Amino acid sequence: MATFGDIALAAAINIITALIFLIAFAILRLQPFNDRVYFPKWYLKKLRESPTRSGTYVSKFVNLDVKSYVKFLKWMPDALQMPELELIDHAGLDSVVYLRIYLIGLKIFFPIMLLAWAILVPVNVTNNTLEKTKGVTFSNIDKLSISNIPLGSDRFWTHIVMAYAFTFWTCYVLKLEYENIQDMRLHFLASEKRRPDQFTVLVKNIPPDPDESVSELVEHFFLVNHPDHYLTHQVVCNANKLAELVEKRKNLRNWLDYYQLKYSRNQSKRPMKKTGFLGLWGAKVDSIDYYMSEIEKLSIEIAAERESVTNDPKAIMPAAFVSFKTRWAAAVCAQTQQCRNPVMWLTEWAAEPRDVYWPNLAVPYFRLTVNRLIVAVAFFFLTFFFMIPIAMVQSLANIEGIEKAAPFLKVIIEVKFIKSFIQGFLPGIALKIFLILLPTILMIMSKFEGWLSISALERRSASRFYLFNFVNVFLGSIVAGAAFEQLHTFIHQSAEDIPTTIGVAIPMKATFFITYIMVDGWAGLAGEILRLKPLIFYHLKNTFLVKTEKDREEAMDPGSLGFDTGEPQIQLYFLIGLVYAVVTPLMLPFILVFFAFAFVVFRHQIINVYNQEYESAGAFWPDVHGRIIGALIISQLLFMGLLSTKNKAQSTPVLIVLPVLTIWFHRYCKGRYEPAFVKHPLQEAMMKDTLERAKEPNLNLKGYLQNAYIHPVFKAGDDSDSDDDMIEVPEKWEQELVPTKRQSRRNTPAPSKLSGNSSPSMHEVYPEYSKP
């Protein structure tokens, strides 16, 4: 069982590690040759120039200003200076809403910590229950927790009252924040510049037609059903293979650039390579000639694939991006049913072009249900089998329990420093290592499910990551930890006494979560701001691949917030904090340090580093709110279960009111605020359309939208300078109107009779749709 000494050692290790990272960051960020690593956002905005272009030779690489090193923490107050409105203009609303999650943590837990330490800690520590309980392993830390209250004591009513106070305060903060973010979103959408997705819907599951192509059918359908508002459309093509070939050619060109640069520096010898796997075996060839030949072959293959995608009807998917003349018309189409069959002509808001995940647009609609079933089963087994390494981690955190079952290990692990290191630091870092690959696995699962935008992929991955953390990191640690910690008691006591032992042991797992918070939330954040991986990769690319200023810009890796990984980790801290606020108040200061430090770090990163891939105007906020509410309900249920082991079953009727009120509050927020995040008010759309017509009466909206949703591979290849590498938009995709066999052009009468082998037109089947 970890003691105050173990926690102090873990805190010292993590604080020293964090300080080392921060000092290294403070020094590295001041060096001119690292400027693009630590300030890439300003370069992308063309608001910063490289400091290596002027000055003496040494000053181009090393900052010689001694005064700048004295204030090595100056970046912290600088990160807090930019006002929120300016930050929205600079980085977008998504980034600001993400930062507000950390602020909510501070707003919720700071008052809770003051109350808990002023009221609950004295109530807990003035007992000696643990000392009188036989067969239970504990430390001085546990004396501050609810475990130190005698069974059936009236002191538990203090904890019940505090549970009510914490719940009401959390709900109050959440309501205010939901209301503020809703207003921020509506204001942002009203004041935002014109974007293609404001006028565009994605149409899926277009029914096949023997007489018309997908493009003809789409135009025909929307000219009939939206005659006054339809503007243009772009069919979805399956260009996944073409995109893979273009990406492969780009990688080959990087190798060619590397060897050409290497040869230009030493022309006495041509670079050579082996053609086998990873260059380990095979025939030895001239590297430059080899890659030039491979690129030429690939270019021929790309041209053939491009021709196939352009001309093969099978490459066209039953989906299209349809654009309208006004935002109002797009809102009506996106939020209504288009035909009698509710699974045909499905419409939804189109994601903004940079948010579209193009590979999944080629997934047939009928495969989505099957794919999602497969992923659900796979995720269940992934979650279940991950309990094994979690149990291994918990075995490190509970040495005393293992010693009782395996006394021969006592000699090795009883050394004071080793014991403190194992119990106070090793479990947190081991769990962090086990979780490194998990986000990648979950993102692959989300892509396989067929979500159509990057934001949807990240939200889905975040949801699964949080569920995984709850089951394995939280519940798994408590259950496995309780078993290991009280292993001797579990083995020798009767079955009816086990629930009581678990009730005592659950609060004792606070020490494990404290070590995890310090590793992940303190040292981990300092490692985030150091950006060691992007730093190394930038200098490798700059040394071996960069030939032009454009290459140097591409070598920068600004990264993004990573909602799919960052938000679930934040939610884990909310869960731990809300569960242990009443049970073990010692946890709260560690969580507050995390939220405060994380807010400063990510504000700095958002201002100077991250380049967000998309802008959803805070559409993820309902998910954040729902998970905090879920954590609150879980904390209430666990508290009820804990008191039931303390001979306080009579408190259950009082506590059952808490989750009922919390669920009611969630339903209220869902009905009152969530529609602003999933629907677009027609009133707002009409106001914006009217204002735009007044300001720009001659706007060529069709020209603006014509190629907004062309697959990126047809807009530009791999950004090389060669004309052969540019993949132009097929000319026939840029036609103003698609001619149809059914004469569906506006003001053109439909065929007057049904004859021959041709299918009847919609005008003939539904004459009420025909214009006079």
Side-chain angles (χ1 to χ4, degrees):
M1 175 60 61
T3 64
F4 276 117
D6 300 334
I7 297 298
L9 177 64
I13 293 174
N14 284 285
I15 291 173
I16 292 172
T17 303
L19 283 175
I20 292 173
F21 286 162
L22 292 177
I23 293 172
F25 163 70
I27 295 173
L28 290 173
R29 71 188 288 266
L30 295 175
Q31 309 313 314
F33 63 95
N34 291 331
D35 207 55
R36 289 180 181 270
V37 178
Y38 293 109
F39 301 95
K41 192 177 188 72
W42 298 101
Y43 283 92
L44 294 173
K45 287 178 170 286
K46 310 297 182 185
L47 297 175
R48 192 179 182 100
E49 292 185 357
S50 176
T52 61
R53 293 180 176 178
S54 60
T56 63
Y57 179 78
V58 176
S59 64
K60 291 181 179 181
F61 299 95
V62 180
N63 186 348
L64 301 178
D65 183 8
V66 179
K67 294 182 180 179
S68 63
Y69 293 96
V70 176
K71 300 178 181 179
F72 71 96
L73 292 179
K74 186 176 181 295
W75 62 271
M76 289 187 175
D78 289 346
L80 301 175
Q81 288 180 359
M82 183 178 288
E84 192 170 71
L85 290 177
E86 185 179 341
L87 187 58
I88 292 175
D89 292 335
H90 177 70
L93 185 60
D94 279 342
S95 299
V96 172
V97 172
Y98 185 85
L99 285 174
R100 291 184 77 93
I101 304 176
Y102 295 105
L103 278 180
I104 290 175
L106 292 173
K107 291 177 182 178
I108 289 176
F109 288 112
F110 185 71
I112 286 178
M113 184 194 72
L114 294 180
L115 273 177
W117 277 80
I119 298 174
L120 292 181
V121 170
V123 171
N124 294 337
V125 79
T126 53
N127 291 277
N128 56 0
T129 303
L130 291 174
E131 296 175 354
K132 296 180 179 180
T133 304
K134 296 181 180 180
V136 174
T137 306
F138 69 95
S139 71
N140 290 332
I141 293 176
D142 301 311
K143 292 181 180 180
L144 302 177
S145 73
I146 199 173
S147 298
N148 205 31
I149 303 294
L151 297 179
S153 172
D154 288 337
R155 294 192 177 201
F156 286 118
W157 288 106
T158 306
H159 298 81
I160 294 171
V161 172
M162 287 295 100
Y164 269 87
F166 296 165
T167 296
F168 289 155
W169 173 249
T170 301
C171 291
Y172 175 72
V173 172
L174 285 176
K175 179 186 180 298
L176 291 182
E177 204 64 29
Y178 216 145
E179 189 171 345
N180 289 336
I181 293 176
Q182 176 200 245
D183 293 341
M184 291 170 63
R185 173 179 167 85
L186 293 176
H187 182 268
F188 179 81
L189 292 175
S191 60
E192 192 182 22
K193 297 179 181 179
R194 184 189 311 112
R195 290 195 327 192
D197 55 291
Q198 296 170 350
F199 301 87
T200 307
V201 300
L202 174 62
V203 185
K204 301 182 294 183
N205 217 27
I206 300 171
D209 190 285
D211 293 322
E212 291 185 339
S213 66
V214 173
S215 183
E216 294 168 340
L217 191 60
V218 169
E219 185 200 28
H220 182 100
F221 182 87
F222 283 94
L223 279 177
V224 170
N225 295 286
H226 299 266
D228 298 324
H229 304 286
Y230 166 75
L231 182 63
T232 185
H233 72 276
Q234 177 58 57
V235 294
V236 174
C237 65
N238 186 355
N240 291 349
K241 183 178 179 181
L242 179 60
E244 291 175 2
L245 293 175
V246 170
E247 184 64 25
K248 184 177 179 182
R249 183 174 59 183
K250 182 178 180 179
N251 293 333
L252 291 177
R253 178 163 283 108
N254 286 337
W255 280 108
L256 177 62
D257 291 343
Y258 164 71
Y259 285 114
Q260 285 179 334
L261 194 60
K262 183 178 180 181
Y263 180 64
S264 67
R265 293 173 178 173
N266 182 14
Q267 298 187 7
S268 61
K269 183 180 179 181
R270 297 275 291 185
M272 307 292 288
K273 75 176 297 294
K274 293 181 179 180
T275 58
F277 179 71
L278 296 179
L280 298 177
W281 57 74
K284 204 169 186 179
V285 297
D286 184 287
S287 299
I288 296 177
D289 293 341
Y290 171 78
Y291 282 108
M292 290 183 68
S293 174
E294 290 297 312
I295 290 172
E296 186 177 352
K297 293 177 184 177
L298 203 54
S299 296
I300 296 173
E301 191 175 349
I302 288 173
E305 180 62 22
R306 175 197 171 191
E307 186 72 18
S308 173
V309 172
T310 304
N311 299 318
D312 187 0
K314 294 182 180 179
I316 304 300
M317 307 305 298
F321 291 97
V322 179
S323 298
F324 296 85
K325 297 177 182 178
T326 62
R327 296 172 180 83
W328 183 90
V332 170
C333 182
Q335 297 166 178
T336 54
Q337 183 174 317
Q338 300 303 306
C339 71
R340 294 178 177 180
N341 189 339
V343 297
M344 294 294 181
W345 295 98
L346 301 177
T347 56
E348 62 182 55
W349 277 109
E352 62 166 319
R354 60 180 179 163
D355 188 21
V356 175
Y357 186 68
W358 294 94
N360 278 355
L361 289 177
V363 179
Y365 180 79
F366 69 90
R367 275 180 47 191
L368 296 180
T369 303
V370 177
N371 287 3
R372 289 171 188 178
L373 176 61
I374 294 172
V375 169
V377 175
F379 179 70
F380 171 79
F381 283 104
L382 174 67
T383 305
F384 178 78
F385 284 110
F386 208 85
M387 290 295 292
I388 298 173
I390 292 294
M392 293 171 57
V393 169
Q394 287 304 319
S395 69
L396 297 175
N398 303 284
I399 291 177
E400 286 85 353
I402 298 297
E403 283 181 351
K404 293 176 182 179
F408 60 89
L409 296 175
K410 188 174 183 178
V411 178
I412 301 174
I413 59 179
E414 272 300 317
V415 178
K416 186 174 181 180
F417 177 79
I418 295 177
K419 182 177 180 181
S420 297
F421 177 80
I422 292 176
Q423 291 190 137
F425 180 74
L426 198 58
I429 194 68
L431 183 57
K432 182 71 175 175
I433 292 172
F434 276 125
L435 294 175
I436 285 177
L437 293 178
L438 182 63
T440 303
I441 296 172
L442 296 180
M443 180 57 73
I444 292 173
M445 287 182 171
S446 297
K447 291 177 179 178
F448 183 74
E449 281 185 308
W451 300 97
L452 302 178
S453 64
I454 299 172
S455 57
L457 288 170
E458 291 194 347
R459 289 200 294 270
R460 184 62 172 173
S461 295
S463 176
R464 284 212 170 94
F465 198 0
Y466 176 70
L467 181 59
F468 184 93
N469 280 340
F470 170 66
V471 173
N472 280 292
V473 179
F474 184 74
L475 288 183
S477 296
I478 288 177
V479 174
F484 275 110
E485 193 166 283
Q486 313 300 338
L487 188 58
H488 184 268
T489 307
F490 267 58
I491 293 173
H492 294 90
Q493 70 184 176
S494 62
E496 61 184 15
D497 295 330
I498 290 179
T500 302
T501 304
I502 293 179
V504 174
I506 286 177
M508 296 181 183
K509 290 313 300 169
T511 54
F512 166 75
F513 289 116
I514 288 173
T515 62
Y516 178 75
I517 289 170
M518 288 189 291
V519 171
D520 182 67
W522 297 8
L525 282 173
E528 167 69 24
I529 202 170
L530 181 59
R531 288 176 56 79
L532 191 59
K533 180 181 174 182
L535 177 69
I536 294 172
F537 275 78
Y538 170 76
H539 286 298
L540 287 176
K541 291 178 181 178
N542 195 38
T543 302
F544 298 112
L545 297 177
V546 170
K547 294 188 295 183
T548 65
E549 192 65 24
K550 187 176 182 181
D551 294 336
R552 188 167 285 107
E553 288 183 4
E554 291 181 352
M556 294 189 304
D557 179 20
S560 62
L561 281 173
F563 181 83
D564 58 317
T565 57
E567 194 269 346
Q569 287 296 94
I570 304 172
Q571 294 296 339
L572 180 61
Y573 292 116
F574 275 105
L575 176 64
I576 294 171
L578 290 171
V579 167
Y580 281 96
V582 178
V583 175
T584 309
L586 180 65
M587 178 79 68
L588 296 174
F590 296 90
I591 290 179
L592 277 173
V593 170
F594 161 75
F595 279 116
F597 188 33
F599 177 74
V600 177
V601 166
F602 282 102
R603 211 173 198 273
H604 172 274
Q605 298 297 80
I606 285 171
I607 292 173
N608 298 301
V609 181
Y610 294 148
N611 183 40
Q612 195 65 4
E613 296 179 346
Y614 58 85
E615 177 59 62
S616 69
F620 56 81
W621 179 253
D623 296 335
V624 175
H625 174 87
R627 282 194 271 272
I628 296 177
I629 289 293
L632 192 58
I633 294 173
I634 290 167
S635 69
Q636 295 160 355
L637 296 177
L638 289 179
F639 184 54
M640 281 194 293
L642 179 61
L643 287 187
S644 69
T645 68
K646 302 289 187 178
N647 293 345
K648 268 293 178 182
Q650 67 270 25
S651 65
T652 300
V654 178
L655 286 174
I656 199 66
V657 178
L658 277 179
V660 173
L661 289 176
T662 306
I663 292 172
W664 173 85
F665 169 76
H666 177 60
R667 290 179 62 86
Y668 166 78
C669 290
K670 191 176 181 67
R672 172 63 181 84
Y673 303 113
E674 188 172 321
F677 293 84
V678 295
K679 296 179 181 179
H680 193 71
L682 297 181
Q683 182 185 27
E684 297 286 331
M686 180 63 75
M687 290 173 58
K688 198 165 180 64
D689 288 331
T690 304
L691 184 63
E692 186 174 76
R693 281 195 297 268
K695 288 184 175 181
E696 301 178 74
N698 298 320
L699 172 66
N700 180 15
L701 186 60
K702 187 165 188 176
Y704 173 71
L705 296 171
Q706 187 73 47
N707 294 325
Y709 285 96
I710 292 287
H711 195 292
V713 79
F714 290 107
K715 292 183 178 180
D718 51 6
D719 295 312
S720 68
D721 298 328
S722 172
D723 292 338
D724 294 336
D725 292 327
M726 303 302 292
I727 301 182
E728 299 176 355
V729 177
E731 187 175 326
K732 67 178 183 178
W733 290 2
E734 296 181 340
Q735 295 174 359
E736 190 166 325
L737 281 176
V738 179
T740 69
K741 295 179 181 179
R742 296 176 179 174
Q743 301 295 316
S744 62
R745 293 175 186 264
R746 214 170 302 179
N747 299 325
T748 303
S752 59
K753 60 181 179 179
L754 303 176
S755 61
N757 297 325
S758 63
S759 301
S761 71
M762 190 172 297
H763 293 285
E764 296 166 318
V765 177
Y766 303 115
E768 63 270 21
Y769 289 149
S770 301
K771 294 180 70 64

